[in-house]
Amino acid sequence: MCLTFALWGLAGLFLLPLSSSSAVPYNNYRKVTAFPPPHTTGLQIHDPSVIKVNNTYYAYGVGPHINISRATSLDGPWTNIGSLLGNKLSVIEKGDRFMPWAPDVIEFNGTFYCYYSVSTAGCRDSAIGVATSHSPEPGAWIDHGVIVQSGTGKGSDVRPFNSSNTIDASVILVGNSAYLTFGSFWTGIWQVRLNKDLISADWKDPASLDAVQLAYEPRPIDPGGTDPNPLCRDETGAHPVEGSFISYRKPWYYLWFSHGKCCEIDPNKLPDDGEEYSIRVGRSTSPRGPFIDRAGIDLVKGGGTVVYGSNGHVYAPGGQGILRDGDVDILYYHYLNRSVGYAFNDARMGYNFLEYDADGWPVAV
Ligand SMILES: *[C@@H]1O[C@H](CO)[C@@H](O)[C@H](O)[C@H]1NC(C)=O
Ligand SMILES: *[C@@H]1O[C@H](CO)[C@@H](O)[C@H](O)[C@H]1NC(C)=O
Ligand SMILES: *[C@@H]1O[C@H](CO)[C@@H](O)[C@H](O)[C@H]1NC(C)=O
Ligand SMILES: *[C@@H]1O[C@H](CO)[C@@H](O)[C@H](O)[C@H]1NC(C)=O
Ligand SMILES: *[C@@H]1O[C@H](CO)[C@@H](O)[C@H](O)[C@H]1NC(C)=O
C-alpha cells in the first residue's frame, strides 16, 4: 500500500499547494477524538498480515521475497524466520518482483494462501498474485502468479481493473463464496469474486466477477500528476484510499482502509494534520457492501469513520488488519514513531484491542 506515495513525495515539490477551497477537510477528528497509545511489538514491518496458528503468531510484511516473522506473543520478541518465496522473484513479470507488497495471508482447509502485490511506486501497472503452502512457515510455498492485474497484461482492460490499481489484496470467505477486495488511489477499493480454487478469478467472463466498488475518496489530496506515463498519473488528482481489509463480527461486516499519505514523509515538511495515514472503517450487513460510516456516509462517497490515527509518538498508522484472537478482535497496523524517524524502515507494528460500542461501532482501546 504505502509505496504509492513514494513518487508523490518527490513530485509534491512541483505540484500546486492544496487549494484553500478544497472542500471539506479530511478530518477534524483530532479535535474531538483522542486515541489510546498502541501496544508496541518491536517488529519492524510494513503492511503487516498477522495470523495465529496453534499458539504461534506469524507476521508477513513487505520485505525481500516477503518477510515472515514469528512470536509466541504479539508483544514479541519477534524472530525473522525467513522469506515466503525463498530466494525466488515473484513469477509475475512486472513491478517489484523482488519485494512484493502488502501480503494478506489466510488459512482454509489446511492450506495457507498468501495474496501479494507487485507494482511500481505511484503507478497502476500492477498485479495481485498468490502463493500457497501447507505450512505458515517458509520453505514450501508455491507461487501461482497473477490472479488479476491492472495497467498492462491479460485482463487489465476488463472492468474494474481498467480504472483501478490492483494492489493491497485481502480475501474473505463467506459460505461457499470468496471475495477479493483490493485497490489503491485512482477509483479506490473494489471487490470481485474469486473462483473456488481461491487462486484465480474469471476475468474472461467479466459478469462472473460481479465487481462492486466499496470505497473511494472523491476529494483529491493533491492535484493530478504530470508523469508522461498515463499509468503513473491520475489527471483528476490523487485519491488516497488503500489497504482494505474486511472483518466480521455478527451482524456486521466492517470494511477497514487506510486514508492519506503513508510513505516518503519529509520530517521537515509534514503533510497537513489529517492528511497522513489514518485507519478508517464503514460497515454493512453484507460482505459486498454498501459500507456506511457512523455518520451515515457511504464509503464510496468519501465516508469512513476514523478508528485510529496519529497520537503522541505515533504517526500515520495504517496498513492494518484485524486478528480474531479467541473472542477478542485486535486491530494491528504499522506506524512511525515521531521520535525515531519517518523512513520506510522506521515503521513498526502496533496494535490495540477493539471494543464495540452499544451501536456496534469498533473502538480502539
Ligand atoms: C498445529 O497443530 C496441529 C494439530 O496438532 C498440527 O497438525 C499442525 O501441524 C500445527 N501447525 C503448525 C503450523 O504448527
Ligand atoms: C524483515 O523482518 C526482520 C525482522 O523484523 C527485520 O529485521 C528486517 O529488517 C525485515 N526486512 C525488511 C526488508 O523489512
Ligand atoms: C479440504 O481438503 C480435503 C483434503 O485435501 C479435500 O478432500 C476437501 O475436498 C477439501 N474441502 C474443501 C471444502 O475444499
Ligand atoms: C472499463 O470497462 C468498462 C466495461 O467495458 C467500460 O464501460 C468502462 O468505460 C471502462 N473504463 C475505463 C476507464 O476505460
Ligand atoms: C517512540 O520512541 C521513543 C524513543 O525511542 C520511545 O520511548 C517510545 O516508547 C516509542 N513509542 C512508540 C509508541 O513506539
Side-chain angles (χ1 to χ4, degrees), residues 70-331:
R70 186 175 66 193
T72 51
S73 159
L74 281 180
D75 301 327
W78 286 87
T79 308
N80 183 257
I81 56 170
S83 62
L84 192 135
L85 297 177
N87 292 322
K88 302 197 191 93
L89 300 179
S90 161
V91 297
I92 304 175
E93 293 184 349
K94 63 158 78 170
D96 193 344
R97 303 176 60 194
F98 170 69
M99 201 164 83
W101 301 353
D104 176 58
V105 177
I106 63 166
E107 188 264 337
F108 174 68
N109 196 25
T111 300
F112 295 85
Y113 297 79
C114 176
Y115 301 90
Y116 67 82
S117 312
V118 288
S119 187
T120 307
C123 304
R124 61 176 205 88
D125 190 2
S126 311
I128 291 168
V130 63
T132 58
S133 176
H134 290 292
S135 165
E137 309 236 342
W141 291 85
I142 298 163
D143 187 0
H144 303 278
V146 179
I147 304 177
V148 295
Q149 57 189 329
S150 57
T152 58
K154 283 182 187 165
S156 62
D157 55 339
V158 170
R159 178 182 180 274
F161 316 119
N162 62 354
S163 70
S164 58
N165 186 10
T166 52
I167 67 168
D168 291 0
S170 71
V171 169
I172 184 168
L173 308 179
V174 182
N176 289 322
S177 297
Y179 302 107
L180 169 66
T181 309
F182 67 91
S184 170
F185 290 71
W186 281 276
T187 54
I189 311 298
W190 291 82
Q191 187 186 73
V192 296
R193 262 178 210 285
L194 277 186
N195 292 334
K196 294 267 179 275
D197 61 10
L198 305 185
I199 62 168
S200 63
D202 196 2
W203 48 264
K204 287 182 179 154
D205 174 16
S208 77
L209 293 172
D210 203 1
V212 282
Q213 188 186 29
L214 297 183
Y216 174 62
E217 174 52 90
R219 301 161 296 183
I221 198 170
D222 266 351
T226 54
D227 193 291
N229 181 349
L231 295 176
C232 301
R233 65 166 189 255
D234 181 344
E235 274 135 15
T236 71
H239 302 267
V241 297
E242 56 182 355
S244 58
F245 187 97
I246 295 179
S247 65
Y248 177 69
R249 184 177 175 276
K250 207 176 174 185
W252 299 105
Y253 291 89
Y254 295 90
L255 176 65
W256 301 81
F257 63 99
S258 304
H259 183 287
K261 297 195 185 194
C262 74
C263 305
E264 299 288 313
I265 305 251
D266 177 352
N268 299 313
K269 200 167 165 285
L270 292 180
D272 288 346
D273 272 2
E275 285 185 11
E276 80 280 19
Y277 246 21
S278 63
I279 297 170
R280 305 186 180 200
V281 79
R283 71 182 185 187
S284 173
T285 51
S286 164
R288 315 241 50 214
F291 289 89
I292 310 293
D293 76 7
R294 188 174 204 143
I297 304 172
D298 193 319
L299 267 45
V300 297
K301 300 218 158 78
T305 299
V306 181
V307 176
Y308 204 66
S310 301
N311 66 90
H313 289 297
V314 173
Y315 189 73
Q320 72 293 322
I322 306 296
L323 174 69
R324 168 78 43 91
D325 198 354
D327 292 336
V328 178
D329 285 344
I330 296 172
L331 169 67

Side-chain angles (χ1 to χ4, degrees), residues 38 40 313-314 335 337 339-340:
T40 58
H313 289 297
V314 173
Y335 68 95
N337 184 325
S339 59
V340 172

Side-chain angles (χ1 to χ4, degrees), residues 2 37-50 59-62 67 69 74-78 262-263 277 279 308 313-321 331-352:
C2 46
H39 292 261
T40 58
T41 68
L43 177 63
Q44 182 199 339
I45 200 162
H46 250 264
D47 300 337
S49 172
V50 178
Y60 305 81
V62 181
N67 219 348
S69 299
L74 281 180
D75 301 327
W78 286 87
C262 74
C263 305
Y277 246 21
I279 297 170
Y308 204 66
H313 289 297
V314 173
Y315 189 73
Q320 72 293 322
L331 169 67
Y332 61 84
Y333 46 83
H334 72 240
Y335 68 95
L336 297 167
N337 184 325
R338 292 180 197 267
S339 59
V340 172
Y342 296 84
F344 188 83
N345 285 332
D346 289 330
R348 295 289 184 278
M349 185 166 82
Y351 72 92
N352 291 82

